């Protein structure tokens, strides 16, 4: 748990079955997501890279900075939509569990 002036982040180990399908292709499927709950944001599923079809993704040039989590790097479908997933290669210590786990805009529990 990380708490900073009214802002809170909790990372917990989940067991939900999470599928990510983009442009008709199964890009990721996991039963071991990390659930990240952050003040003012929807719960996000962070998936281990072993559960992601990395062969379908390519790194993009996009990077964003979160003062609570660190600098995120983004991935795009090799022949499709851009910036469909992000990860924190070097997250802040308070959220170290999410290191290298990928989060998708399209992730949903089934």
């Amino acid at each position: 748990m990380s708490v900073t002036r009214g802002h809170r982040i909790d990372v917990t180990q989940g067991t939900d079955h999470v599928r990510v399908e983009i442009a008709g292709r199964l890009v990721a499927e996991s039963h071991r997501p990390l659930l990240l709950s952050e003040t003012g944001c929807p719960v996000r599923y962070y998936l281990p890279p072993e559960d992601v079809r990395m062969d379908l993704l390519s790194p993009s040039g996009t990077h964003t900075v979160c003062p609570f989590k660190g600098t995120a790097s983004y991935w795009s479908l090799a022949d499709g939509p851009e910036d469909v997933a992000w990860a924190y290669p070097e997250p802040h210590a308070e959220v170290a569990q999410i290191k290298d786990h990928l989060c998708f805009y399209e992730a949903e529990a089934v």
Side-chain angles (χ1 to χ4, degrees), residues 41-109:
C41 299
V43 172
R44 293 285 187 191
Y45 297 106
Y46 281 77
L47 307 180
E50 301 82 23
D51 296 348
V52 176
R53 292 276 318 270
M54 295 302 292
D55 60 308
L56 298 177
L57 301 175
S58 59
S60 84
T62 303
H63 299 280
T64 58
V65 177
C66 171
F68 306 105
K69 294 186 290 288
T71 300
S73 298
Y74 287 73
W75 281 263
S76 300
L77 273 180
D79 60 351
E82 294 183 7
D83 297 341
V84 297
W86 66 93
Y88 290 88
E90 296 179 23
H92 294 317
E94 297 83 9
V95 293
Q97 311 93 297
I98 66 170
K99 179 178 174 55
D100 295 328
H101 284 57
L102 284 93
C103 188
F104 291 83
Y105 291 106
E106 304 293 326
E108 62 182 57

